[in-house]
Amino acid sequence: EAQVTQNPRYLITVTGKKLTVTCSQNMNHEYMSWYRQDPGLGLRQIYYSMNVEVTDKGDVPEGYKVSRKEKRNFPLILESPSPNQTSLYFCASRAPAQPQHFGDGTRLSIL
Amino acid sequence: EDQVTQSPEALRLQEGESSSLNCSYTVSGLRGLFWYRQDPGKGPEFLFTLYSAGEEKEKERLKATLTKKESFLHITAPKPEDSATYLCAVQDLSGNTGKLIFGQGTTLQVKP
């Protein structure tokens, strides 16, 4: 089954403790993105990648890092999380000229 | 600046009561307009892509239309299982090819 898999699905952590949210897709897609979804603000792009070793900032990249060492994986790294990064995060992937497929989300709470 | 506005924010319908959701957009050049459905606890699920004014797409009880300034998602004779949040997004011709600009969504509740 074609899918985008995120882990963990839920995480409660504390300020400053580094964390990584993994994202993996099994569709051999070139493009991958991370979004955050906040009430009243909708979905906003954090980072995207057009292929292995090619990444760039989206609209809200501050406080986040990404890497794309393999085509299937696109982890999101919060090196020093802060409470304003409490949000619902989605990873997405797509093939050229095709719509994005989204994972089921990761709900992060940073205390 | 690219912008997407959806209305209404929330919509309650009786089963069988047809209605429309609106998505107004401002974009320098439209690469595509997308409709997604999002259920609680799930990621957005792709419904339609529209590329040019006048284009229409249909799927079961849903029909999406596009003009130069807005898109409508028409829901004909909805059923309770159509209850979800419907998201509209646009992709600009300029800028990074992966980014979607999303509206805030319309939450639809269909009562039996």
Side-chain angles (χ1 to χ4, degrees):
Chain A
E1 180 189 349
Q3 58 185 5
V4 178
T5 303
Q6 297 179 225
N7 281 296
R9 293 291 314 279
Y10 305 91
L11 179 63
I12 301 174
T13 188
V14 295
T15 299
K17 184 176 181 182
K18 181 179 177 180
L19 68 91
T20 299
V21 184
T22 64
C23 174
S24 181
Q25 50 96 2
N26 63 0
M27 296 167 280
N28 201 36
H29 286 168
E30 287 86 353
Y31 298 91
M32 297 186 75
S33 295
W34 275 104
Y35 293 83
R36 60 179 289 174
Q37 187 174 36
D38 301 289
L41 297 175
L43 278 153
R44 295 176 293 164
Q45 191 186 52
I46 303 170
Y47 267 95
Y48 69 98
S49 169
M50 289 192 284
N51 215 323
V52 175
E53 303 292 1
V54 181
T55 63
D56 207 347
K57 298 176 181 179
D59 291 325
V60 288
E62 296 78 20
Y64 304 95
K65 284 178 57 177
V66 293
S67 68
R68 187 93 181 273
K69 293 184 169 54
E70 303 167 284
K71 198 171 187 179
R72 64 183 292 128
N73 296 324
F74 191 42
L76 180 70
I77 303 155
L78 285 71
E79 298 241 338
S80 184
S82 62
N84 64 10
Q85 293 176 299
T86 292
S87 187
L88 180 58
Y89 292 86
F90 289 100
C91 181
S93 74
R94 70 177 182 90
Q98 295 297 314
Q100 297 202 29
H101 294 261
F102 286 82
D104 280 339
T106 295
R107 187 168 293 281
L108 284 183
S109 294
I110 299 165
L111 307 176
Chain B
E1 183 182 336
D2 296 344
Q3 194 167 358
V4 177
T5 303
Q6 291 186 246
S7 62
E9 286 187 20
L11 182 62
R12 290 184 181 180
L13 300 173
Q14 288 296 129
E15 184 172 2
E17 180 186 2
S18 301
S19 188
S20 297
L21 282 54
N22 177 262
C23 171
S24 297
Y25 65 91
T26 303
V27 65
S28 55
L30 183 68
R31 185 184 297 272
L33 185 141
F34 302 81
W35 282 98
Y36 284 85
R37 169 190 171 128
Q38 186 175 22
D39 292 298
K42 295 283 191 179
E45 176 187 348
F46 171 73
L47 293 173
F48 303 110
T49 308
L50 301 167
Y51 293 103
S52 57
E55 190 174 359
E56 298 182 352
K57 293 272 180 76
E58 279 189 76
K59 180 180 179 180
E60 296 180 355
R61 295 176 292 282
L62 301 177
K63 179 180 177 180
T65 62
L66 181 65
T67 72
K68 287 187 177 180
K69 292 185 178 181
E70 57 191 351
S71 176
F72 291 93
L73 185 65
H74 307 278
I75 304 177
T76 302
K79 298 182 178 181
E81 53 261 42
D82 294 322
S83 298
T85 296
Y86 291 86
L87 301 172
C88 172
V90 297
Q91 191 171 20
D92 198 330
L93 280 171
S94 62
N96 85 63
T97 57
K99 184 167 74 172
L100 295 176
I101 307 295
F102 280 87
Q104 295 184 21
T106 294
T107 299
L108 172 66
Q109 184 180 26
V110 182
K111 295 189 172 183

